[in-house]
Amino acid sequence: MAKKIHDDIYPGLRKRLKMIRKERGLSQEKLGEILHHSQQTIYKLEKGDIAISAQDVYNLHVLSERSLDWIMTGSEEDTGNDNILSYVPLSVFKMMLFGAKNEETMKDIELLFNTIVKIIEESKMSE
């Protein structure tokens, strides 16, 4: 079986895309209209044949009213981070989504993300 895009880094992302579409009672064509894509593009995104953009992930977050954490990881757990990804600038989010070309880059992204989490947690403690 061919490896699908994002499955190594964000397992289940494409399945959550389809789940959101079905929960909202949308056809691939209607979701495509909302996201400004063709029905064929939505089909390919759900199959994992093409990469989902950071903008599409954000739009799914708005459409589904689910956290960005859930969209990306599938985690429903309350991490106490108050949807930590909502604090991450879009440029960093895009790097997290597309920048992991190798293990070293992924470690750098993880370090950056953990630093952001630490700063936010420290700022909450000082409130």
Side-chain angles (χ1 to χ4, degrees), residues 64-111:
S64 68
E65 300 176 355
R66 304 292 280 272
S67 71
L68 284 168
D69 293 319
W70 181 83
I71 302 286
M72 297 303 297
T73 67
S75 175
E76 297 276 3
E77 295 177 17
D78 180 6
T79 61
N81 293 335
D82 293 334
N83 189 12
I84 204 72
L85 284 175
S86 65
Y87 295 98
V88 177
L90 185 58
S91 59
V92 174
F93 181 66
K94 285 180 179 179
M95 185 176 73
M96 290 168 61
L97 188 58
F98 300 114
K101 305 251 187 262
N102 58 49
E103 191 173 328
E104 183 178 330
T105 303
M106 192 63 197
K107 286 179 183 179
D108 290 342
I109 293 169
E110 186 177 352
L111 177 63

Side-chain angles (χ1 to χ4, degrees), residues 54-66:
Q55 185 64 54
D56 287 340
V57 171
Y58 180 79
N59 290 341
L60 288 170
H61 152 68
V62 172
L63 174 68
S64 68
E65 300 176 355
R66 304 292 280 272

Side-chain angles (χ1 to χ4, degrees), residues 29-60:
E29 182 177 12
K30 186 62 180 169
L31 181 60
E33 289 174 18
I34 293 168
L35 298 179
H36 306 288
H37 293 305
S38 68
Q39 177 275 327
Q40 187 66 21
T41 298
I42 300 301
Y43 172 80
K44 288 179 179 181
L45 287 168
E46 288 181 357
K47 295 279 289 172
D49 293 339
I50 59 175
I52 189 168
S53 72
Q55 185 64 54
D56 287 340
V57 171
Y58 180 79
N59 290 341
L60 288 170

